[in-house]
Amino acid sequence: MKQKSKKRRRSKSSQLKKTGMAPGQFLFTGEQKVENTSLQLMTYDKSEIEELSIDTIQEALTKIGNTNKMSWLNVIGLHETDIIKSIVEHFDLHKLSGEDILSVGQRPKLDEYEHYIHIVAKMFRIEDGNIEDEQITILFAEGLLITFQEKEGDVFNTVRERLIEDKGQIRQRHTDYLAYALLDSIVDHYFIAIEHFGNVIEELEVELLENPSDKILPNLHEVRREASYIRRSVFPMRETVNRFEKLEVPYMHKETKLFIRDLYDHTVQVIETVTVLKDAVSGLLDLYMSSVSNRMNNVMKVLTIVSTIFIPLTFIAGVYGMNFTNMPELEYKYGYLITMIAMAILTLLMIFYFKRKKWL
């Protein structure tokens, strides 16, 4: 988690590169995560499907232009801005779309342009026991859908399997349904990430109850930052899905909106769960502070009892430590022994009293 937070800080700082530039500039604000940009193309209709890995963007654009099938072009790697620019120019996309594709630190949103829809979403998945996030951009129009991601690996394998194996209705429907299916897969993996995050919180809670040491405090602050980041990433999805359902464009079909409405319900459920987890993290911090406070109170109680026990003993020792001439006890043969016995009895009586009061 700590390493991932550093990456996020670097991603934010990279936004400074755009300061003062005109809108619509093709400037990648993230970090290069793959060696070369790769292109994956799927073309399909009701009867057949073709899946290709393509070397050049020109080949991909030619392939899309020569087919009447539905086309899904997946672009992996955003650092080669010439490829993004070629796609934007070929499909007559708005320059702001090109800028948004390359600006990887955005909140989820939906923008409606003249002949296509631009969706930005945040994808979460589990890698090596950590929650990894990545911005996914989805552009779709009639018969064409394009996705952009920073690195290999995503949460769309089930969607690809449904397309290849012709499961359900996905091959019989249009690109609006494919866009819904991709968003639905993203939201489904929110639940997986949230479950993993919940397990992390439970482990911290157990550790906090068993051994509330100072070493756990940095982990608690890190988990709180993660909870806040997940909430900020997920919360705008509700508005995005809501706008998706209310789109009034020719390539948005009525039957798809029923599925999007269900997706909206899932999104609300995710937000509610994330809010509960964020409150749970705050509760852990309060529990830690209470544990530390209780431990300190116990230490102070012990020290206070010890001090209380020694107060009368110190008083007796102080009385007989005075250098007055007429102190008959000083010359008594058994004076020292009697004084020590009296001090021991007094100590035992005080300990018995403290135990009876359940202070010890």
Side-chain angles (χ1 to χ4, degrees):
M1 287 187 175
K2 293 181 180 179
Q3 183 179 1
K4 184 169 62 172
S5 296
K6 291 179 183 177
K7 289 181 180 179
R8 287 177 188 154
R9 285 193 290 270
R10 288 195 298 267
S11 178
K12 289 180 180 179
S13 65
S14 64
Q15 298 286 340
L16 295 175
K17 292 187 264 184
K18 297 177 59 178
T19 303
M21 297 182 65
Q25 298 297 312
F26 291 87
L27 177 64
F28 179 48
T29 61
E31 294 181 346
Q32 181 176 339
K33 297 182 178 180
V34 291
E35 185 175 354
N36 296 307
T37 300
S38 60
L39 306 168
Q40 299 173 348
L41 177 64
M42 297 183 73
T43 57
Y44 64 92
D45 57 17
K46 297 179 181 179
S47 59
E48 60 181 355
I49 184 171
E50 183 179 13
E51 186 177 13
L52 300 171
S53 293
I54 299 177
D55 297 327
T56 64
I57 185 60
Q58 288 75 20
E59 182 183 354
L61 298 178
T62 301
K63 186 71 177 178
I64 293 173
N66 292 335
T67 183
N68 294 323
K69 300 178 181 179
M70 302 292 172
S71 299
W72 173 16
L73 175 63
N74 187 31
V75 181
I76 303 172
L78 305 179
H79 59 282
E80 298 184 41
T81 57
D82 290 341
I83 293 178
I84 308 301
K85 189 173 182 180
S86 297
I87 294 175
V88 170
E89 292 175 350
H90 180 83
F91 293 108
D92 194 23
L93 306 179
H94 199 284
K95 287 185 177 181
L96 290 178
S97 278
E99 179 184 0
D100 288 344
I101 292 168
L102 297 173
S103 300
V104 296
Q106 297 188 68
R107 68 196 298 271
K109 65 175 184 176
L110 184 147
D111 292 327
E112 182 179 353
Y113 290 95
E114 184 177 356
H115 61 282
Y116 69 97
I117 303 299
H118 183 128
I119 300 175
V120 176
K122 189 71 72 174
M123 176 180 69
F124 288 99
R125 55 198 180 102
I126 309 300
E127 285 188 3
D128 299 327
N130 293 321
I131 300 177
E132 298 291 337
D133 67 284
E134 182 180 351
Q135 178 174 301
I136 298 292
T137 302
I138 302 173
L139 308 180
F140 76 95
E142 185 66 46
L144 174 66
L145 185 142
I146 310 174
T147 52
F148 300 87
Q149 58 189 80
E150 294 181 76
K151 60 182 180 179
E152 290 278 358
D154 51 41
V155 298
F156 303 142
N157 287 336
T158 55
V159 178
R160 294 186 180 96
E161 290 176 2
R162 288 162 58 192
L163 282 168
I164 293 172
E165 299 175 9
D166 194 15
K167 292 181 178 179
Q169 309 174 33
I170 192 166
R171 290 253 294 268
Q172 283 73 40
R173 296 188 180 273
H174 302 270
T175 50
D176 58 334
Y177 186 86
L178 178 58
Y180 149 75
L182 297 179
L183 288 177
D184 184 58
S185 183
I186 290 174
V187 172
D188 285 345
H189 279 75
Y190 285 167
F191 287 103
I192 298 175
I194 289 172
E195 182 180 0
H196 174 80
F197 190 71
N199 293 335
V200 172
I201 294 176
E202 290 180 2
E203 292 174 1
L204 284 175
E205 183 178 10
V206 171
E207 184 179 355
L208 184 58
L209 293 173
E210 294 179 352
N211 183 27
S213 64
D214 295 338
K215 295 180 180 179
I216 199 175
L217 184 59
N219 292 334
L220 289 174
H221 285 298
E222 186 65 35
V223 169
R224 185 175 66 173
R225 284 194 293 268
E226 289 292 323
S228 298
Y229 180 79
I230 292 175
R231 189 176 186 275
R232 288 197 308 270
S233 300
V234 171
F235 199 84
M237 276 294 290
R238 178 171 61 180
E239 178 186 355
T240 300
V241 176
N242 186 41
R243 290 195 62 190
F244 190 20
E245 180 190 356
K246 294 179 179 179
L247 285 175
E248 297 293 340
V249 291
Y251 44 90
M252 193 71 197
H253 299 84
K254 184 178 180 180
E255 56 270 18
T256 304
K257 294 187 176 183
L258 298 175
F259 297 98
I260 299 176
R261 197 171 305 151
D262 180 68
L263 175 61
Y264 179 83
D265 294 337
H266 291 172
T267 306
V268 172
Q269 184 179 352
V270 167
I271 293 172
E272 292 174 349
T273 307
V274 170
T275 302
V276 170
L277 288 180
K278 189 174 184 296
D279 293 340
V281 174
S282 299
L284 286 183
L285 283 168
D286 293 339
L287 179 60
Y288 171 80
M289 298 305 297
S290 298
S291 299
V292 171
S293 178
N294 289 335
R295 185 173 57 181
M296 182 60 67
N297 288 339
N298 290 332
V299 172
M300 293 302 298
K301 181 177 72 173
V302 172
L303 293 176
T304 302
I305 290 174
V306 172
S307 299
T308 304
I309 291 174
F310 276 91
I311 285 174
L313 305 183
T314 305
F315 172 76
I316 294 173
V319 168
Y320 288 104
M322 294 185 294
N323 296 320
F324 291 111
T325 303
N326 296 320
M327 293 186 70
E329 295 91 343
L330 297 179
E331 297 179 358
Y332 185 64
K333 180 179 180 180
Y334 300 105
Y336 174 76
L337 179 62
I338 292 173
T339 302
M340 295 301 294
I341 292 174
M343 293 172 69
I345 292 174
L346 182 60
T347 300
L348 293 174
L349 288 175
M350 294 183 69
I351 293 175
F352 174 77
Y353 178 78
F354 293 150
K355 283 187 173 292
R356 189 172 182 181
K357 289 289 185 178
K358 296 182 179 180
W359 294 346
L360 279 176

